Protein backbone atom coordinates (compact mmCIF):
# COMPACT_ATOMS: atom_id res chain seq x y z
CA UNK A 1 0.00 0.00 0.00
CA UNK A 2 2.88 2.39 0.82
CA UNK A 3 4.34 1.80 -2.65
CA UNK A 4 1.01 2.64 -4.27
CA UNK A 5 0.72 5.79 -2.13
CA UNK A 6 4.26 6.87 -3.07
CA UNK A 7 3.58 6.31 -6.76
CA UNK A 8 0.30 8.22 -6.45
CA UNK A 9 2.08 11.15 -4.80
CA UNK A 10 4.71 11.16 -7.57
CA UNK A 11 2.06 11.13 -10.30
CA UNK A 12 0.07 13.94 -8.67
CA UNK A 13 3.15 16.07 -8.10
CA UNK A 14 4.48 15.68 -11.65
CA UNK A 15 1.09 16.18 -13.27
CA UNK A 16 0.16 19.25 -11.22
CA UNK A 17 3.22 21.19 -12.18
CA UNK A 18 6.55 20.45 -13.78
CA UNK A 19 8.19 21.82 -10.64
CA UNK A 20 6.21 19.77 -8.11
CA UNK A 21 8.23 16.82 -6.83
CA UNK A 22 8.21 14.77 -3.63
CA UNK A 23 10.56 16.21 -1.07
CA UNK A 24 13.50 14.66 0.74
CA UNK A 25 15.30 16.72 3.34
CA UNK A 26 18.98 16.25 4.08
CA UNK A 27 19.75 19.40 6.08
CA UNK A 28 17.32 20.95 8.57
CA UNK A 29 16.77 23.83 10.94
CA UNK A 30 13.80 24.36 13.27
CA UNK A 31 11.85 27.59 12.84
CA UNK A 32 12.30 29.25 16.23
CA UNK A 33 9.30 31.57 15.96
CA UNK A 34 6.95 28.93 14.58
CA UNK A 35 5.48 27.11 17.61
CA UNK A 36 4.72 23.40 17.40
CA UNK A 37 1.39 21.84 18.43
CA UNK A 38 1.17 21.38 22.18
CA UNK A 39 3.15 24.54 22.99
CA UNK A 40 1.45 27.23 25.05
CA UNK A 41 2.10 29.76 22.27
CA UNK A 42 -0.84 29.83 19.84
CA UNK A 43 0.03 28.98 16.25
CA UNK A 44 -1.12 31.29 13.48
CA UNK A 45 -4.11 29.71 11.80
CA UNK A 46 -4.04 29.62 8.00
CA UNK A 47 -7.58 29.39 6.64
CA UNK A 48 -8.01 27.88 3.17
CA UNK A 49 -10.79 26.40 1.07
CA UNK A 50 -9.26 22.99 1.88
CA UNK A 51 -9.52 23.58 5.64
CA UNK A 52 -7.38 25.19 8.30
CA UNK A 53 -3.63 24.66 8.58
CA UNK A 54 -0.87 25.54 11.04
CA UNK A 55 2.85 25.81 10.47
CA UNK A 56 4.55 23.12 12.53
CA UNK A 57 8.16 24.02 11.64
CA UNK A 58 10.46 25.18 8.86
CA UNK A 59 13.61 23.64 7.44
CA UNK A 60 16.35 24.59 5.05
CA UNK A 61 17.33 21.67 2.80
CA UNK A 62 20.33 21.21 0.59
CA UNK A 63 18.41 19.08 -1.91
CA UNK A 64 14.90 18.08 -2.90
CA UNK A 65 14.61 14.61 -4.36
CA UNK A 66 18.15 14.88 -5.68
CA UNK A 67 17.59 18.39 -7.08
CA UNK A 68 19.88 20.98 -5.48
CA UNK A 69 19.27 24.72 -5.35
CA UNK A 70 20.78 26.75 -8.17
CA UNK A 71 23.70 29.06 -7.41
CA UNK A 72 22.39 31.99 -5.40
CA UNK A 73 19.40 30.02 -4.06
CA UNK A 74 18.44 28.15 -0.92
CA UNK A 75 15.43 25.91 -0.36
CA UNK A 76 13.09 26.40 2.60
CA UNK A 77 10.49 23.80 3.54
CA UNK A 78 7.48 24.89 5.57
CA UNK A 79 5.92 21.93 7.40
CA UNK A 80 2.12 22.10 7.64
CA UNK A 81 -0.46 20.26 9.68
CA UNK A 82 -4.01 20.86 10.84
CA UNK A 83 -4.87 22.43 14.20
CA UNK A 84 -4.42 19.95 17.04
CA UNK A 85 -2.48 17.44 14.92
CA UNK A 86 1.26 16.85 15.05
CA UNK A 87 1.22 15.86 11.37
CA UNK A 88 -1.20 15.28 8.51
CA UNK A 89 -2.32 11.74 7.72
CA UNK A 90 -1.47 10.83 4.10
CA UNK A 91 -4.39 8.40 3.98
CA UNK A 92 -6.98 11.12 4.71
CA UNK A 93 -5.28 14.28 3.44
CA UNK A 94 -6.20 15.17 -0.15
CA UNK A 95 -3.07 16.22 -1.98
CA UNK A 96 -5.18 17.06 -5.04
CA UNK A 97 -7.37 19.46 -3.03
CA UNK A 98 -4.31 21.12 -1.51
CA UNK A 99 -2.73 21.45 -4.96
CA UNK A 100 -5.90 23.22 -6.10
CA UNK A 101 -5.63 25.66 -3.19
CA UNK A 102 -2.01 26.62 -3.85
CA UNK A 103 -2.55 26.97 -7.60
CA UNK A 104 -5.78 29.02 -7.32
CA UNK A 105 -4.50 32.55 -7.89
CA UNK A 106 -7.97 34.05 -8.29
CA UNK A 107 -7.79 35.38 -4.70
CA UNK A 108 -4.06 36.15 -4.64
CA UNK A 109 -0.71 34.41 -4.50
CA UNK A 110 0.89 32.34 -1.76
CA UNK A 111 4.49 33.46 -1.45
CA UNK A 112 7.38 34.25 0.84
CA UNK A 113 8.57 37.84 0.88
CA UNK A 114 12.27 38.17 1.63
CA UNK A 115 13.91 41.21 3.17
CA UNK A 116 15.65 41.65 -0.19
CA UNK A 117 12.24 42.37 -1.79
CA UNK A 118 11.97 38.95 -3.46
CA UNK A 119 8.58 37.26 -3.76
CA UNK A 120 8.94 33.49 -4.03
CA UNK A 121 6.01 31.18 -4.73
CA UNK A 122 6.06 27.55 -3.66
CA UNK A 123 7.24 25.30 -6.48
CA UNK A 124 6.87 22.04 -4.59
CA UNK A 125 4.68 20.34 -2.02
CA UNK A 126 4.64 16.80 -0.72
CA UNK A 127 5.67 14.37 1.98
CA UNK A 128 9.03 14.57 3.77
CA UNK A 129 9.21 11.30 5.62
CA UNK A 130 5.90 11.51 7.51
CA UNK A 131 5.44 15.29 7.36
CA UNK A 132 3.73 17.43 4.73
CA UNK A 133 5.82 20.34 3.40
CA UNK A 134 5.66 23.22 0.96
CA UNK A 135 9.00 24.15 -0.59
CA UNK A 136 10.25 27.58 -1.59
CA UNK A 137 13.41 28.35 -3.65
CA UNK A 138 14.56 31.57 -2.03
CA UNK A 139 17.36 33.92 -3.07
CA UNK A 140 20.40 33.25 -0.88
CA UNK A 141 20.57 37.01 -0.22
CA UNK A 142 17.27 36.93 1.71
CA UNK A 143 17.80 36.80 5.48
CA UNK A 144 14.22 37.20 6.77
CA UNK A 145 11.09 35.49 5.46
CA UNK A 146 7.42 36.35 5.72
CA UNK A 147 4.77 33.95 4.40
CA UNK A 148 1.84 35.63 2.66
CA UNK A 149 -1.21 33.42 2.10
CA UNK A 150 -4.33 34.93 0.57
CA UNK A 151 -7.02 35.98 3.08
CA UNK A 152 -4.65 35.41 6.05
CA UNK A 153 -2.33 37.54 8.17
CA UNK A 154 1.37 37.41 7.18
CA UNK A 155 3.40 34.85 9.15
CA UNK A 156 7.06 35.45 9.94
CA UNK A 157 9.24 32.36 9.43
CA UNK A 158 12.57 32.47 11.34
CA UNK A 159 14.71 29.37 10.78
CA UNK A 160 17.64 28.73 13.09
CA UNK A 161 21.16 27.90 11.94
CA UNK A 162 21.15 24.82 9.70
CA UNK A 163 22.12 21.45 11.13
CA UNK A 164 22.77 18.26 9.21
CA UNK A 165 20.14 15.61 9.91
CA UNK A 166 21.19 12.04 10.74
Amino acid sequence: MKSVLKIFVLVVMFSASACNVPLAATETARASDTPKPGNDIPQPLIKTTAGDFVIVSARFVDEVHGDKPAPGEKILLVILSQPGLERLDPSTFSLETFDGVIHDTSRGKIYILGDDGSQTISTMAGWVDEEFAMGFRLPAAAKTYTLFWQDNQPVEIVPETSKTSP
Side-chain angles (χ1 to χ4, degrees), residues 28-106:
T28 64
R30 198 177 115 263
S32 61
D33 287 356
T34 309
K36 293 186 176 190
N39 286 358
D40 292 337
I41 303 168
Q43 294 176 288
L45 193 62
I46 299 171
K47 295 191 166 285
T48 76
T49 56
D52 296 343
F53 292 94
V54 291
I55 298 171
V56 176
S57 64
R59 296 182 175 96
F60 282 110
V61 296
D62 60 7
E63 71 176 21
V64 177
H65 198 283
D67 185 25
K68 297 183 181 200
E73 286 184 338
K74 53 189 170 183
I75 299 174
L76 177 69
L77 299 183
V78 176
I79 310 301
L80 299 176
S81 189
Q82 292 172 326
L85 298 177
E86 185 176 338
R87 61 178 56 109
L88 294 172
D89 180 355
S91 67
T92 60
F93 179 70
S94 172
L95 195 55
E96 292 151 329
T97 301
F98 185 81
D99 186 62
V101 168
I102 64 173
H103 286 97
D104 176 12
T105 58
S106 65

